[in-house]
């Protein structure tokens, strides 16, 4: 199969390719199953011989001679001479192409006429050297196939296979007529019967998904409507919070300004910081800078007292080398308010 043939194929053909691939995959999985599981699966199948005269099925006994009392898939074994079988040789091809070729050449392969028989085939052997393969073909008259199809409708168990001959342990499986019966409409295809159910399940799933989307959209719309209703109140709360924040900032700035800029408070603070016996002659305050000049006793520490009061001394000078004055030793100091 080339990429060009895939691109030129219609959807029906592609669907059949996919179905064949799925069947092949399932067959491979079944072949890989553990031996006890395969024996259990084969043990559930019931082998039954078909009697064309009475249109009845006679179950075959198992290896112990007992007849199966269980219900399971039924494998129908056709009697000898019920169908015509022959082997032909054709070039190597895929099973699907082989089936198409057999249906097209049915009138030349079997002497029954393509409209008066049911045809089934299988690949018997493949020759590696010459590129040829052996195909085993079996056919039964249409009237006999219709009688077998009517008898199959009376079975209580599902039909698993319609074999042209009895299977043997060490040989290839016989030709199975069941796929041909399903294509001809003589046996109902279980997959077709389940198709409406799968369509209903898919429709209900899509409806459920649509309802979930609709409910989610409706809930989102209700939430958006509630948010829109509460938006004026939220805006009012935000404005009130902004005004409260501004008021707090103004109050904090006022308290700080009064703490650092109150003249009497500053004057009292400087007076308590000066040592005993010192007095101020000039007091100048500009912004956060304070310039003080006056007289102090001989051993008084003006700068240390101001620092202990929380003031930052920027410049200090005195006239300690000058002659002693009756008022004391003159000094001049520039300080700044220490920020908390």
């Amino acid at each position: 199969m080339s990429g060009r043939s895939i691109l030129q194929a219609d959807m029906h053909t592609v669907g059949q390719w996919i179905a064949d691939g799925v069947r092949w995959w399932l067959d491979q999985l079944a072949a890989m199953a553990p031996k006890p599981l395969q024996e259990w699966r084969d043990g559930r199948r019931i082998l039954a011989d078909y009697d064309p005269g009475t249109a009845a099925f006679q179950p075959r006994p198992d290896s112990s001679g007992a007849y199966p009392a269980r219900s399971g898939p039924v494998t129908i074994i056709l009697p000898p001479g019920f169908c015509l079988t022959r082997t032909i040789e054709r070039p190597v091809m895929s099973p699907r192409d082989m089936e198409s070729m057999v249906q097209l050449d049915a009138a030349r392969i079997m002497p029954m006429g393509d409209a008066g028989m049911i045809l089934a085939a299988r690949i018997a052997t493949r020759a590696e050297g010459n590129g040829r393969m052996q195909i085993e073909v079996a056919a039964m008259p249409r009237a006999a196939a219709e009688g077998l199809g009517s008898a199959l409708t009376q079975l209580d168990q599902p039909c698993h296979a319609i074999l042209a001959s009895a299977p043997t342990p060490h040989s290839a499986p016989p030709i199975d007529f069941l796929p041909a019966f399903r294509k001809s409409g003589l046996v109902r295809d279980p997959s077709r019967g389940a198709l409406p159910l799968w369509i209903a399940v898919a429709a209900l799933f899509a409806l459920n998904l649509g309802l979930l989307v609709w409910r989610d959209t409706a809930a989102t719309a209700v939430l958006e409507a509630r948010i829109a209703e509460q938006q004026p109140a939220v805006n009012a709360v935000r404005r009130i919070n902004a005004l409260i924040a501004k008021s707090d900032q103004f109050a904090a700035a006022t308290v700080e300004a009064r703490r650092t800029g109150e003249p009497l408070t500053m004057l009292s603070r400087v007076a308590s910081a000066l040592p005993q016996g010192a007095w101020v002659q000039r007091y100048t305050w500009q912004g956060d800078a304070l310039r003080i000049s006056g007289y102090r006793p001989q051993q008084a520490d003006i700068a240390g007292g101001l620092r202990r009061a929380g003031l930052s001394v920027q410049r200090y000078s005195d006239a300690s080398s000058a002659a002693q004055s009756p008022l004391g030793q003159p000094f001049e100091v520039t300080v700044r308010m220490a920020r908390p």
Side-chain angles (χ1 to χ4, degrees), residues 57-96:
F57 301 99
Q58 179 61 37
R60 286 192 173 191
D62 54 18
S63 57
S64 62
Y67 288 92
R70 56 189 180 277
S71 61
V74 180
T75 298
I76 306 300
I77 301 175
L78 300 178
F82 189 78
C83 56
L84 181 63
T85 304
R86 64 171 297 190
T87 301
I88 60 176
E89 187 179 80
R90 291 292 186 273
V92 175
M93 63 187 73
S94 65
R96 178 172 178 79

Side-chain angles (χ1 to χ4, degrees), residues 257-279:
R258 290 182 63 87
R259 188 181 69 82
T260 59
E262 181 65 31
L264 295 178
T265 303
M266 188 63 182
L267 183 60
S268 175
R269 186 175 179 183
V270 170
S272 61
L274 293 175
Q276 187 70 24
W279 61 281

Side-chain angles (χ1 to χ4, degrees), residues 19-41:
D20 292 340
V22 171
R23 283 194 292 269
W24 174 84
W25 180 61
L26 293 177
D27 293 339
Q28 294 297 318
L29 290 180
M32 294 170 58
K35 187 175 181 180
L37 183 60
Q38 294 182 9
E39 294 176 353
W40 174 82
R41 180 194 61 188

Side-chain angles (χ1 to χ4, degrees), residues 177-202:
F177 275 96
L178 184 59
F181 271 54
R182 287 174 176 171
K183 289 182 180 179
S184 302
L186 299 176
V187 175
R188 186 178 65 87
D189 192 350
S191 61
R192 294 183 179 179
L195 181 61
L197 296 178
W198 282 110
I199 294 176
V201 170

Side-chain angles (χ1 to χ4, degrees), residues 242-257:
L243 293 175
I244 292 174
K246 289 182 179 179
S247 299
D248 292 341
Q249 293 177 358
F250 178 76
T254 302
V255 170
E256 180 65 16

